[in-house]
Amino acid sequence: FLPHLVASMEQVDETYIMVKPDGVQRGLVGEIISRFEKKGFKLTGLKLFQCPKELAEEHYKDLKAKPFFPGLIDYITSGPVVCMAWEGVGVVASARKLIGSTDPLKAEPGTIRGDLAVQTGRNVVHGSDSPENGKREIGLWFEEGELCQWTPAQAPWLRE
Ligand code: GDP
Ligand code: MG
């Protein structure tokens, strides 16, 4: 048993985070990026993007049967979004906690939705719900050449 190897073997996950059109229109882009940046995760992809309808439908394909689906697609394609890829140990679950519950009125204060939104249909941000979906969604929203691998200078000050 080599304890010094255990930390380095911890699984590094990726998550797809997106500032939705309401977040962009309301001037919340910097605020939302800051929450993930300050937490200590690593940004590996970032762009402002007008999402085509087909991509929105593919991204939310699991919700196709829901009555709110057409409205959701209109919402997501109604203006530019900010697409982000973030990396780190436990990033998927942690990002979901930072984001808060789907319904902003139920989201805890201190979370992005709890602090910055009031309605499920305008909940300002998306975050992948599993490591598998993190990979899938980053693959959907980014071309390979748009992602950067780099070592933040603060790395040794974030993890032992
Ligand atoms: P999330 O993972 O917390 O974003 O929630 P879901 O995966 O369940 O739903 C995806 C997105 O669909 C949500 O973030 C909302 O933008 C939208 N959505 C979910 N449920 C509803 C609803 O009941 N009404 C409306 N208008 N939108 C919804
Ligand atoms: Mg979801």
Side-chain angles (χ1 to χ4, degrees):
F1 178 66
L2 299 166
H4 65 282
L5 285 179
V6 173
S8 63
M9 282 161 56
E10 280 180 281
Q11 176 72 38
V12 175
D13 289 324
E14 300 171 282
T15 193
Y16 176 65
I17 302 294
M18 175 167 71
V19 182
K20 295 177 177 180
D22 50 335
V24 176
Q25 293 287 356
R26 293 177 52 208
L28 298 174
V29 171
E31 165 85 32
I32 292 172
I33 295 176
S34 276
R35 304 273 177 128
F36 300 97
E37 211 177 23
K38 287 177 190 163
K39 175 72 174 168
F41 293 120
K42 179 167 79 175
L43 185 64
T44 57
L46 173 67
K47 66 179 177 186
L48 184 71
F49 183 63
Q50 174 65 56
C51 169
K53 195 171 182 220
E54 301 69 41
L55 177 57
E57 287 172 348
E58 177 63 21
H59 174 80
Y60 282 124
K61 66 179 181 193
D62 291 350
L63 300 173
K64 202 156 190 142
K66 302 282 186 187
F68 58 81
F69 186 77
L72 174 59
I73 300 307
D74 285 347
Y75 163 45
I76 294 300
T77 58
S78 65
V81 295
V82 172
C83 310
M84 289 175 269
W86 289 90
E87 194 181 282
V89 175
V91 69
V92 173
S94 178
R96 296 278 292 186
K97 279 193 183 164
L98 291 172
I99 288 170
S101 300
T102 305
D103 177 351
L105 291 184
K106 295 188 178 132
E108 294 293 328
T111 65
I112 295 169
R113 287 168 175 166
D115 288 348
L116 305 175
V118 293
Q119 199 188 36
T120 301
R122 296 288 185 271
N123 62 5
V124 303
V125 65
H126 166 83
S128 309
D129 62 8
S130 67
E132 296 67 36
N133 277 334
K135 279 197 179 15
R136 178 184 86 89
E137 292 169 3
I138 289 169
L140 268 181
W141 290 86
F142 285 100
E143 312 276 352
E144 212 167 303
E146 294 175 324
L147 299 168
C148 291
Q149 274 314 325
W150 59 295
T151 304
Q154 57 175 310
W157 302 103
L158 282 162
R159 297 183 58 82
E160 61 179 7

